[in-house]
Amino acid sequence: MQSLKCLSGVTNLGQKLLISSTRNILNTSRPRNVFSCRFKRTVLQASAASTSRTTDAFPSASIPQDPPFSGLEDVLLSYIFGNKKATEVAHLVWERVVRKGDTVIDATCGNGYDTLAMLKMVADESGQGRVYGFDIQKEALGSAASLLEESVNPTEKELVKLFLRCHSTMAEVLPEDTSVRLVAFNLGYLPGGNKTIITESQTTAEALNAAIGILMPGGLISLVVYVGHPGGREELVTVEEFCSKLPVEKWSCCKIQMLNRQLAPILVFLFRKCWN
Ligand SMILES: C[S@@+](CC[C@H](N)C(=O)[O-])C[C@H]1O[C@@H](n2cnc3c(N)ncnc32)[C@H](O)[C@@H]1O
């Protein structure tokens, strides 16, 4: 059983790493229906006509012309039926929002799997897409760099910029007037690394604050929150409190949580509305 609950609602090491790479495994075709089922697609169709309207900042932002969440029924069903992990669901949600040529941010690079997934979503022959990645551990960025080295070609490598600095400073390294489609957090500790180096409530809240300032209408902040380590539950509370204070006219914030697996990672999405 699981619930989909709606909420109404520093370290600065300053070193920049540029990734170089050798091999291209980018797959530009995206699966639109990852979970085959016989259920009718009935949700969210109604919003199709209204998604082309923008409301405030980022007038040049490319607002999705079709429903940004089209196809999500399949993703949620696959999670409900136990066929997808939280990180896989997160990636599938990103795929419904992110466009080729977008600028996106991996706020917690770790071993680079999320960074690589984002690169696949934004990279195309135009060379416009950008992935900005952050981590406070050299070891993590080294691991992410290695993954990218073996996974993308030299042209694609130029699209990724990795920064050895706290994600709370993300806005400081972006070129001026950059608007961002996705900011993704995969909280907690580096898998296979030092389990005492974790994301902290205070800087996570600061990073969320920075993220909402640079996200374009129609953009998404995505969090995978882990509660199995000391500090994890407190961090979840911090994230929930942050979300619950965002104005409902501008933001749609939701949480997806397993109820019979107490330590399962929790998904939180903050969608910046581009209609109303
Ligand atoms: C769960 S791991 C991320 C996994 C990664 N996204 C992947 O695909 O492998 C969390 C990462 O957050 C990093 N981290 C912790 N505090 C941070 C901060 N303030 N700013 C940026 N990264 C941080 C950790 O060093 C760790 O590598």
Side-chain angles (χ1 to χ4, degrees):
M1 290 283 289
Q2 62 185 19
S3 72
L4 174 64
K5 179 180 175 186
C6 286
L7 304 170
S8 60
V10 185
T11 301
N12 184 348
L13 300 174
Q15 181 182 339
K16 176 177 175 179
L17 300 184
L18 294 179
I19 301 304
S20 63
S21 54
T22 53
R23 192 156 58 86
N24 176 14
I25 59 165
L26 282 191
N27 175 8
T28 53
S29 64
R30 294 190 207 148
R32 302 301 293 181
N33 293 303
V34 292
F35 184 79
S36 153
C37 70
R38 290 180 291 122
F39 292 83
K40 280 188 179 175
R41 293 172 172 237
T42 54
V43 296
L44 299 169
Q45 302 285 346
S47 58
S50 60
T51 53
S52 59
R53 277 180 280 140
T54 184
T55 50
D56 45 13
F58 306 116
S60 62
S62 153
I63 304 300
Q65 296 298 304
D66 51 355
F69 286 165
S70 171
L72 270 184
E73 310 91 294
D74 295 348
V75 177
L76 285 175
L77 282 171
S78 65
Y79 185 70
I80 289 165
F81 296 155
N83 294 335
K84 293 280 175 214
K85 292 193 295 184
T87 48
E88 291 178 294
V89 175
H91 287 194
L92 290 165
V93 173
W94 304 350
E95 284 179 358
R96 298 322 197 264
V97 176
V98 174
R99 307 296 169 96
K100 295 292 180 192
D102 279 348
T103 295
V104 297
I105 292 178
D106 185 350
T108 50
C109 268
N111 293 316
Y113 295 105
D114 294 324
T115 315
L116 179 59
M118 289 182 191
L119 180 57
K120 290 178 182 178
M121 293 174 204
V122 302
D124 66 1
E125 51 291 335
S126 77
Q128 297 286 306
R130 293 285 181 278
V131 183
Y132 293 89
F134 297 84
D135 206 292
I136 54 169
Q137 294 190 70
K138 261 187 186 167
E139 181 192 349
L141 290 186
S143 177
S146 299
L147 180 68
L148 293 167
E149 285 272 345
E150 65 188 38
S151 305
V152 301
N153 68 35
T155 308
E156 289 141 4
K157 83 180 180 188
E158 296 299 328
L159 307 182
V160 180
K161 314 285 183 221
L162 298 184
F163 296 90
L164 186 60
R165 57 191 290 165
C166 176
H167 43 214
S168 62
T169 67
M170 64 175 74
E172 295 168 20
V173 302
L174 289 184
E176 215 175 323
D177 296 331
T178 304
S179 53
V180 174
R181 181 83 75 184
L182 170 70
V183 182
F185 296 80
N186 192 337
L187 300 176
Y189 56 81
L190 177 68
N194 183 340
K195 292 189 178 177
T196 66
I197 303 176
I198 55 171
T199 51
E200 306 275 355
S201 294
Q202 173 73 27
T203 41
T204 298
E206 288 169 14
L208 283 171
N209 214 30
I212 63 168
I214 54 178
L215 202 77
M216 66 168 67
L220 182 75
I221 300 171
S222 163
L223 299 106
V224 181
V225 188
Y226 298 86
V227 290
H229 63 277
R233 292 226 175 256
E234 291 76 6
E235 194 172 31
L236 175 64
V237 170
T238 298
V239 169
E240 289 178 349
E241 283 177 357
F242 183 93
C243 293
S244 65
K245 289 179 188 146
L246 290 176
V248 71
E249 305 77 39
K250 267 196 173 180
W251 293 91
S252 174
C253 303
C254 76
K255 168 174 96 166
I256 305 175
Q257 180 172 23
M258 288 287 173
L259 292 178
N260 62 347
R261 287 178 52 215
Q262 294 300 311
L263 300 184
I266 293 144
L267 284 158
V268 177
F269 296 110
L270 293 70
F271 180 70
R272 183 166 173 194
K273 296 177 182 178
C274 52
W275 48 83
N276 274 339

